[in-house]
Amino acid sequence: MIAARMAAAVLITWAALIALLLVPSPLPEHWRYYIYSPASVGLWLLAMLVAPVVVCTVKWPWIKSGGR
């Protein structure tokens, strides 16, 4: 059960980060260069690696308890 809760936490974190990446898509074309610059995409990729670890650390009591 712990593995399933950890997997759920990671998948939800990744889904939120992907949604945040796609939110600025409807903005005007000339803004996209600044929003999707190499630095911001690199930080997003770093967040895809680091954020699940942070979420699992913060939510560890919930993951370990099994929903009790």
Side-chain angles (χ1 to χ4, degrees), residues 15-30:
L17 287 170
I18 290 170
L20 287 172
L21 180 72
L22 297 176
V23 166
S25 295
L27 290 174
E29 186 71 33
H30 63 277

Side-chain angles (χ1 to χ4, degrees), residues 21 34-48:
L21 180 72
Y34 300 105
I35 293 171
Y36 297 123
S37 69
S40 64
V41 172
L43 288 173
W44 178 80
L45 287 172
L46 183 64
M48 290 289 280

Side-chain angles (χ1 to χ4, degrees), residues 5-17 47-64:
R5 285 184 177 267
M6 286 184 85
V10 170
L11 291 176
I12 290 170
T13 303
W14 282 348
L17 287 170
M48 290 289 280
L49 295 173
V50 174
V53 175
V54 173
V55 168
C56 287
T57 302
V58 169
K59 289 296 193 178
W60 183 248
W62 172 77
I63 291 170
K64 191 171 71 172

